[in-house]
């Protein structure tokens, strides 16, 4: 279906993977002054899987055929809700930006670079079409853009926003390339760079005395740059690389048959995988189809705890996870979402239909046959009666990054509001009014020590990276891991890295394994 950007009114970026529906958004604000933040989101993910011996092949084609399936990503929708929750929380707090209303504007990127480009230009121009170097909505200042979650997409957006010095904060883009201040002068993130993760992955290989490993990466900036960093760090430990393969997003099967064939023929029993979850699914499916066993997969943070990859079926997999935080009151906020009252009705309907296995019918365009085959959604269902990856708040990782990103912007705006002409180093004796500021002024205050802990490149300081290991007992504190939308497993925490200790540390108990 067509994917369109939401009408103007509030800003913060959120990203999610899936094929997109047309998602109309409309928000209204009526307080004395309003500041917008924009978010880019990928709420749908398209998963194309090679299906053999399932269903009927197209007429005249006796070969294997491909079918494409998509699902509404519950976790990604939770990320968007975290943005909305944070904005609401800030507006209710009389101690943060009093008499100022912050808002957000959500754009669905459809995981398409051209959509990111178009959406970014529309955000800068305001309503309607794209007008370079001119903002139609001058009465509602734009403070920042939150997103994208994919590194390559963040780079496209950052190249444009950087020209005007608009603050951009990503919650899930980890490529070390984004740390280059000469290319991305106004890019920040609430997640550590891949530089730290690569060091940890190499040390993990060294700790378990794995000397012969394979490498697998998706063909984008995140995967290719990340796997090269891992390869460099692994070489320092004395280990050797058996093979390096690429997940090709341009191919429907993601090059899965060739990749699995290489893995099967190789004597390397350990494979480091630097990929996002959606693009890895065809490879995992192919491994299951060919019954590949005795292979240990080392997962990067982008898929280590994802429900999309059904990691629970691969009990030999270990990987890094992000720091998990707590957002008070967030679960109640999630469960209040309802098709008749919540913003973004089309998104809410998709959430509702997949959660309760029902359908919303429209008498004007739904046939009687279809109606009789599906259970109708009544609106009487309650999200609080179920527990899935949308309303589970026991392990908020990327969601917590989104929440922090919004508060990071609010803190910068609060510092700008309290600007002192005599003491502020960036004011140049001319402090801006909060409803008439320049983008660079928000950027300068985002870098102040009073903001969240960031290094000189705009990266979040690495806090804790945990390693979930299935089917191992007696190693440290256990982590709750979502095995699917409704099932949970518990894994031990055996290692960490934080800002006080520059090297990745494995717990002493891990040596007992």
């Amino acid at each position: 279906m067509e994917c369109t950007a939401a009408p103007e009114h509030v800003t913060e970026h959120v990203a999610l993977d899936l094929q997109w529906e047309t998602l109309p958004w409309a928000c209204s604000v009526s307080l004395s002054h309003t500041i917008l933040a924009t978010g880019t989101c990928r709420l749908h993910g398209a998963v194309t899987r090679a299906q053999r011996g399932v269903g009927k092949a197209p007429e005249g084609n006796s070969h294997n055929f491909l079918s494409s399936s998509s699902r509404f990503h519950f976790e990604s929708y939770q990320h968007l809700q975290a943005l909305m929750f944070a904005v609401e929380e800030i507006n209710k707090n009389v101690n943060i930006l009093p008499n100022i209303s912050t808002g957000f504007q959500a754009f669905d990127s459809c995981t398409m670079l051209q959509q990111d480009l178009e959406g970014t230009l529309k955000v800068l121009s305001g309503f309607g079409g794209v007008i370079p170097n001119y903002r139609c909505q001058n009465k509602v200042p734009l403070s920042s853009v939150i997103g994208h979650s994919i590194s390559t997409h963040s780079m496209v957006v950052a190249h444009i926003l950087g020209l005007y010095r608009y603050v951009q904060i990503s919650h899930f883009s980890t490529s070390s390339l984004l740390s280059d201040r000469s290319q991305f002068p106004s890019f920040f993130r609430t997640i550590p760079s891949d530089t730290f993760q690569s060091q940890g992955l190499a040390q993990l290989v060294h700790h378990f005395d794995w000397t012969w490993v394979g490498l697998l990466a998706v063909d984008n900036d995140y995967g290719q740059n990340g796997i090269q960093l891992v390869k460099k760090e692994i070489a320092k430990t004395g280990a050797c690389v058996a093979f390096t393969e690429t997940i090709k997003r341009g191919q429907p099967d993601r090059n899965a048959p060739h990749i699995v064939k290489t893995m099967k023929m190789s004597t390397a029993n350990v494979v480091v995988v630097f990929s996002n979850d959606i693009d890895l699914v065809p490879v995992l499916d192919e491994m299951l189809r060919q019954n590949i066993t005795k292979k240990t997969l080392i997962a990067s943070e982008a898929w280590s705890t994802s429900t999309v990859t059904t990691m629970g079926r691969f009990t030999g997999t270990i990987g890094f996870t992000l720091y998990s935080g707590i957002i008070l009151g967030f679960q109640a906020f999630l469960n209040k979402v309802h098709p008749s009252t919540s913003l973004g009705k089309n998104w809410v309907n998709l959430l509702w239909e997949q959660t309760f296995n029902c359908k919303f019918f429209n008498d004007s365009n739904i046939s009687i046959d279809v109606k009789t085959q599906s259970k109708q959604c009544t609106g009487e269902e309650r999200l609080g009666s179920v527990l899935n990856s949308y309303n589970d708040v026991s392990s908020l990782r990327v969601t917590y990054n989104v929440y922090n990103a919004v508060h990071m912007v609010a803190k910068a705006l609060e510092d700008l509001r309290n600007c002192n002409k005599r003491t502020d180093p960036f004011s140049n004796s001319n402090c801006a009014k909060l409803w008439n500021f320049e983008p660079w002024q928000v950027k300068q205050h985002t870098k102040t020590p009073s903001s969240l802990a960031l290094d000189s490149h705009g990266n979040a300081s690495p806090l804790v990276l945990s390693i979930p290991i299935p089917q191992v007992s007696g190693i440290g504190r256990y982590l709750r891991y979502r095995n699917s939308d409704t099932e949970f497993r518990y894994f031990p925490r055996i290692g960490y890295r934080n800002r006080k200790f520059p090297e990745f540390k494995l717990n002493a108990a891990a040596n007992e394994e």
Side-chain angles (χ1 to χ4, degrees):
M1 297 185 181
E2 181 185 3
C3 178
T4 61
E8 189 97 17
H9 247 143
V10 198
T11 4
E12 287 301 348
H13 271 73
V14 182
L16 317 168
D17 275 346
L18 300 169
Q19 283 182 335
W20 295 95
E21 300 251 349
T22 301
L23 304 172
W25 272 80
C27 306
S28 62
V29 283
S30 57
L31 298 186
S32 55
H33 297 293
T34 301
I35 298 175
L36 296 183
T38 297
T40 55
C41 317
R42 55 182 183 95
L43 296 174
H44 291 74
V47 182
T48 304
R49 299 176 178 172
Q51 298 198 2
R52 296 170 172 83
V54 179
K56 183 179 179 181
E59 185 176 350
N61 184 0
S62 59
H63 300 288
N64 298 326
F65 66 99
L66 300 174
S67 69
S68 181
S69 63
S70 64
R71 87 185 253 265
F72 187 73
H73 204 318
F74 284 3
E75 293 166 338
S76 295
Y77 191 57
Q78 185 189 79
H79 302 164
L80 177 59
Q81 291 297 320
L83 184 152
M84 299 170 68
F85 178 81
V87 169
E88 182 176 302
E89 188 176 63
I90 291 166
N91 286 335
K92 289 181 178 180
N93 191 330
V94 296
N95 296 317
I96 303 177
L97 301 175
N99 298 321
I100 299 294
S101 175
T102 59
F104 70 93
Q105 181 179 29
F107 283 82
D108 187 344
S109 73
C110 310
T111 321
M112 298 171 62
L113 289 172
Q114 59 266 40
Q115 289 294 132
D116 290 311
L117 179 61
E118 181 181 355
T120 301
L121 292 175
K122 285 185 176 180
V123 166
L124 296 179
S125 297
F127 288 113
V130 174
I131 307 176
N133 301 316
Y134 184 79
R135 180 165 175 78
C136 301
Q137 221 180 6
N138 54 14
K139 292 184 179 180
V140 184
L142 174 67
S143 67
S144 58
V145 171
I146 296 181
H148 197 286
S149 64
I150 301 175
S151 294
T152 300
H153 294 242
S154 284
M155 291 178 191
V156 170
V157 175
H159 277 303
I160 299 174
L161 296 178
L163 295 174
Y164 304 95
R165 297 302 189 265
Y166 276 106
V167 169
Q168 176 187 356
I169 307 175
S170 174
H171 52 285
F172 206 32
S173 294
T174 59
S175 173
S176 61
L177 297 176
L178 286 162
S179 298
D180 187 345
R181 270 290 184 250
S182 64
Q183 292 194 64
F184 311 108
S186 59
F187 177 84
F188 301 86
R189 48 186 163 192
T190 53
I191 187 172
S193 163
D194 280 334
T195 300
F196 307 113
Q197 179 178 201
S198 300
Q199 294 170 356
L201 289 171
Q203 290 181 43
L204 185 63
V205 169
H206 178 66
H207 173 80
F208 288 107
D209 293 325
W210 291 323
T211 58
W212 188 235
V213 300
L215 304 178
L216 176 62
V218 66
D219 63 346
N220 58 18
D221 293 292
Y222 167 74
Q224 294 302 305
N225 186 60
I227 207 68
Q228 289 303 317
L229 290 174
V230 171
K231 186 175 183 179
K232 179 180 178 180
E233 293 296 329
I234 285 178
K236 293 179 181 179
T237 69
C240 296
V241 175
F243 62 84
T244 302
E245 290 293 344
T246 301
I247 299 172
K248 298 181 179 180
R249 293 172 302 148
Q251 297 180 198
D253 63 3
R254 300 303 193 269
N255 198 32
H258 171 74
I259 292 170
V260 175
K261 180 181 178 181
T262 300
M263 293 172 62
K264 192 173 185 178
M265 296 178 62
S266 175
T267 56
N269 293 324
V270 177
V271 182
V272 179
V273 183
F274 230 98
S275 174
N276 59 299
D277 50 5
I278 295 295
D279 291 317
L280 182 60
V281 168
V283 178
L284 299 182
D285 284 349
E286 185 69 14
M287 289 179 66
L288 289 173
R289 192 189 73 82
Q290 294 193 31
N291 193 29
I292 300 298
T293 59
K294 299 181 180 180
K295 301 288 184 181
T296 298
L297 302 183
I298 304 180
S300 63
E301 94 297 334
W303 71 277
S304 62
T305 57
S306 172
T307 60
V308 175
T309 54
T310 58
M311 180 178 162
R313 290 148 63 186
F314 295 87
T315 55
T317 298
I318 65 175
F320 287 103
T321 64
L322 302 173
Y323 177 81
S324 177
I326 298 174
I327 304 177
L328 297 177
F330 186 48
Q331 188 172 50
F333 181 85
L334 293 172
N335 288 333
K336 285 196 305 183
V337 169
H338 192 274
S340 63
T341 59
S342 300
L343 293 174
K345 183 177 180 180
N346 287 358
W347 285 341
V348 178
N349 285 356
L350 288 171
L351 168 70
W352 212 263
E353 290 178 346
Q354 293 199 20
T355 298
F356 300 108
N357 194 27
C358 60
K359 290 289 183 182
F360 286 101
F361 296 129
N362 185 332
D363 291 335
S364 65
N365 57 21
I366 302 287
S367 67
I368 296 178
D369 290 340
V370 174
K371 289 182 179 180
T372 58
Q373 295 175 10
S374 303
K375 180 177 71 173
Q376 184 171 2
C377 299
T378 65
E380 298 296 324
E381 302 87 356
R382 291 293 176 265
L383 289 171
S385 65
V386 299
L387 181 63
N388 55 29
S389 56
Y390 164 72
N391 60 6
D392 172 43
V393 297
S394 63
S395 184
L396 299 177
R397 303 184 188 280
V398 181
T399 301
Y400 192 62
N401 289 344
V402 175
Y403 176 81
N404 278 337
V406 180
H407 277 276
M408 184 173 163
V409 174
K411 177 59 179 172
L413 292 172
E414 180 67 15
D415 289 346
L416 181 61
R417 186 180 74 87
N418 295 325
C419 167
N420 187 306
K421 294 181 181 180
R422 296 179 181 177
T423 60
D424 192 287
F426 307 117
S427 65
N428 195 24
S429 300
N430 185 26
C431 291
K433 293 182 179 180
L434 203 51
W435 54 92
N436 187 28
F437 55 80
E438 296 296 327
W440 64 266
Q441 292 173 307
V442 180
K443 172 180 175 291
Q444 297 289 13
H445 283 280
T446 304
K447 294 176 64 176
T448 62
S450 59
S451 298
L452 296 180
L454 300 175
D455 63 19
S456 60
H457 302 289
N459 304 310
S461 296
L463 295 173
V464 177
L465 289 175
S466 305
I467 307 177
I469 300 187
Q471 298 185 352
V472 178
S473 61
I475 306 182
R477 177 177 176 272
Y478 276 77
L479 301 170
R480 193 182 194 208
Y481 164 69
R482 186 165 46 244
N483 187 43
S484 66
D485 281 342
T486 57
E487 298 177 0
F488 300 90
R489 302 177 69 187
Y490 292 84
F491 299 139
R493 173 175 291 167
I494 70 168
Y496 64 92
R497 185 189 191 282
N498 61 35
R499 64 170 67 95
K500 292 183 179 180
F501 302 98
E503 297 298 324
F504 180 82
K505 302 293 183 181
L506 285 171
N507 292 342
N511 295 316
E512 300 172 3
E513 221 294 317

